[in-house]
Amino acid sequence: MPSEIRVGFRALLELLVQHRVEFIVVGGVAAVLHGAPVVTFDLDILHNRNAENVERLLSALKSVRAKYRDPRGLEPSLAHLRGPGHQLLMTSLGPIDVLGTLLDGVSFDDLEGQSAEVVIGDFRVRVIDLPTLLDQKQRLGREKDRAAVQMLRHLLEGSDKSD
Amino acid sequence: MSDDGEARSDEAREGGGIRGVPVDDGVDVSLIWWMLSLTPAERLQFLEEQVDFVTRYAGAVRD
């Protein structure tokens, strides 16, 4: 990531909320919001792929000059965002991965029941719940997620004890 | 577990004054406690500061 870009996860989330985008925070930022002391360099969101929401999402992304992170630097389109794939984008507020689906084709509608609202200052976002996040990370089986998986296990054990 | 983690565990067991002892799988639980003491907004701010530090440091090394 170019050092002149200042990452603004909060600003990106607030932007999406201001544009009334329906989305769920997944991935490393979700882990941090749950209290996992891990570092991640991009914001991952799973969005509702209905036509109206995709238009709002594209409008939000255009306002921060979103482009694909590959060398061609193309801009995302409505067709891209309507699909189930992953759009790996760079914006003026840092990287964002816009996911149409998760593992096993899990969509926004599928995941909504396994998410909860989290208050960030004066706005709220939906965040994937801890058990589902841990399950996703475990099943991805990526080396880079090993530390986060350990942290999430401890967090889950802690929350089970406090219930 | 890392050598450092084992050393800290041993020292803590022997009453060496280190609190927040790593558990067996190497996770420093004291960091989790600390993160849980923050609000979600503060957790996000801490993450942003970490990422900014790393990207600025990487840029400085590159230049």
Side-chain angles (χ1 to χ4, degrees), chain B residues 19-32:
Chain B
R19 296 181 183 177
V21 186
V23 295
D24 288 343
D25 60 5
V27 174
D28 187 340
V29 182
S30 68
L31 283 176
I32 294 179

Side-chain angles (χ1 to χ4, degrees), chain A residues 1-11 13 28-29 31-41 118-121 123 147 150-155, chain B residues 23-36 39-52 54-60 62-63:
Chain A
M1 184 179 357
S3 57
E4 63 271 17
I5 288 184
R6 190 172 172 81
V7 168
F9 295 125
R10 178 176 174 150
L13 291 170
V29 172
V32 169
L33 288 170
H34 280 297
V38 296
V39 174
T40 184
F41 289 82
V118 170
V119 177
I120 300 173
F123 65 95
Q150 300 274 48
M151 296 287 183
L152 292 171
R153 275 200 198 118
H154 279 277
L155 277 166
Chain B
V23 295
D24 288 343
D25 60 5
V27 174
D28 187 340
V29 182
S30 68
L31 283 176
I32 294 179
W33 294 337
W34 175 73
M35 279 290 275
L36 291 175
T39 66
E42 290 168 336
R43 293 171 198 164
L44 210 48
Q45 184 183 347
F46 179 69
L47 173 62
E48 289 178 350
E49 288 168 358
Q50 296 296 305
V51 173
D52 278 341
V54 170
T55 50
R56 273 190 279 119
Y57 180 77
R62 214 173 29 240
D63 293 341

